[in-house]
Amino acid sequence: MMSIRKSEVPVIGVVNGLAAAAGCQLVSACDFAIASISSKFSTPGANFGLVCATPGVGISRVISRNNAAFMVLTAIPISAEEAFRLGLVVKIAPTVELENILAEIYAHIKSKSRPVMKLGKEFFYAQLDYPYEKAMKQGELAVLKNMQHQDCQEGVLSFIEKRNPKWSHNES
């Protein structure tokens, strides 16, 4: 699960069916997830005399404490609509549309500067543990660091020139 957090690019979870126990943990570890409307999410351990402890750790960092507790302590599955409402997934769609939605998200990510995505992802997760004031100060430092990167300069120039940017990771 930590490899997902440490990945330099966003990791997208895709659920088309049942995400149970460690499957729910995997969904919560992803940077964001999408699901088919027919999908379900469950932490069923309590049904078998086994608490879903590590899935609960991940889930409780994505959805509210009381909703995570409900999932872990009751083992009652939730629907894709409920997972969307709670924030466990960011989009739901019919199964036949899932691949197209994933391709669209992927195309957006791929069009961005990879070094800037890495910086943004690292900062995003680091700041979650900071008090607000420290997060803002560290955010200012992240912006200054970002502004010094050649891809930031290329992005601004391409915007002014009304053209697509040529990111450093695409140079060969």
Side-chain angles (χ1 to χ4, degrees), residues 59-70 86:
I59 294 166
S60 68
R61 282 160 171 72
V62 176
I63 67 174
S64 71
R65 178 199 52 81
N66 57 346
N67 284 308
F70 174 83
L86 296 176

Side-chain angles (χ1 to χ4, degrees), residues 40-80:
K40 299 233 182 277
F41 300 81
S42 175
T43 52
N47 292 334
F48 313 109
L50 179 67
V51 67
C52 282
T54 55
V57 170
I59 294 166
S60 68
R61 282 160 171 72
V62 176
I63 67 174
S64 71
R65 178 199 52 81
N66 57 346
N67 284 308
F70 174 83
M71 286 185 71
V72 171
L73 300 176
T74 69
I76 298 171
I78 63 170
S79 67

